[in-house]
Amino acid sequence: MIGRIADRALTVAEALLALALAATVVMVFGNVVLRYVFDSGITVSEELSRFLFVWMTFLGAVVVMRRGGHLGFDLVARALPRAGQRACRILSNLLMLGCCGVFLVGAWEQTAINLHNAAPVSGLPLGWAYAAAVVAGIGLGLIVLADLLAALAGRDPPPRPEDLVEPGA
């Protein structure tokens, strides 16, 4: 049940990423054409594309984490026996969960501080840009927590997708 919800959330996140990327491309390309052809431009497109880029970065980090695509160093852990691998996985998840907590607290504070500050051109609250970090902190934390609970229950980690396996490994 939780896996299906996570998969649906991943599908929604990927759709939002695609929409944000398309909107950014249209705004930036349109602005370039307007500047060079008509000697004008849409000022708000630069600011909005910056906001979308921030959201794409943080939301993309959650999607990549769910797929197991972040860089990792597991040379030592793979050389250990099964119990040692499990201990390393649990310790790693606890450390990542702590980092997610610190990150989330800082992101929440910045969002709250900047919620009443307006962007200079669009007038949108700057807190919306910082809210991307809040969403990422929650998403990453939930993914790490799920893996921690699986490790504590003795379940093996999910296999890495074929397109993410290093060549020659």
Side-chain angles (χ1 to χ4, degrees):
M1 168 92 171
I2 293 174
R4 282 183 290 179
I5 293 171
D7 289 339
R8 295 258 174 149
L10 180 70
T11 303
V12 169
E14 287 175 337
L16 290 173
L17 285 169
L19 286 172
L21 181 61
T24 301
V25 167
V26 167
M27 284 189 293
V28 171
F29 181 73
N31 217 17
V32 167
V33 169
L34 285 172
R35 280 190 188 148
Y36 288 105
V37 175
F38 299 107
D39 202 23
S40 69
I42 303 170
T43 312
V44 75
S45 71
E46 290 181 30
E47 198 168 88
L48 291 178
S49 62
R50 236 178 283 134
F51 273 37
L52 288 175
F53 183 74
V54 169
W55 274 92
M56 283 187 288
T57 302
F58 283 107
L59 202 55
V62 176
V63 170
V64 171
M65 180 74 162
R66 172 80 171 131
R67 291 188 169 186
H70 282 288
L71 291 175
F73 180 76
D74 62 350
L75 181 69
V76 175
R78 280 194 285 176
L80 296 173
R82 185 174 167 88
Q85 289 179 3
R86 183 172 175 237
C88 283
R89 183 174 164 208
I90 291 170
L91 179 62
S92 172
N93 282 331
L94 287 171
L95 290 171
M96 285 191 293
L97 204 54
C99 288
C100 283
V102 170
F103 180 75
L104 184 58
V105 167
W108 180 260
E109 288 175 359
Q110 284 300 314
T111 301
I113 289 170
N114 288 291
L115 208 51
H116 301 297
N117 294 334
V121 178
S122 66
L124 292 172
L126 288 174
W128 288 11
Y130 290 98
V134 173
V135 170
I138 292 169
L140 294 171
L142 289 174
I143 292 167
V144 171
L145 182 62
D147 190 56
L148 175 63
L149 294 175
L152 290 172
R155 292 192 305 269
D156 288 332
R160 289 181 61 119
E162 286 298 319
D163 58 339
L164 297 177
V165 176
E166 305 91 32

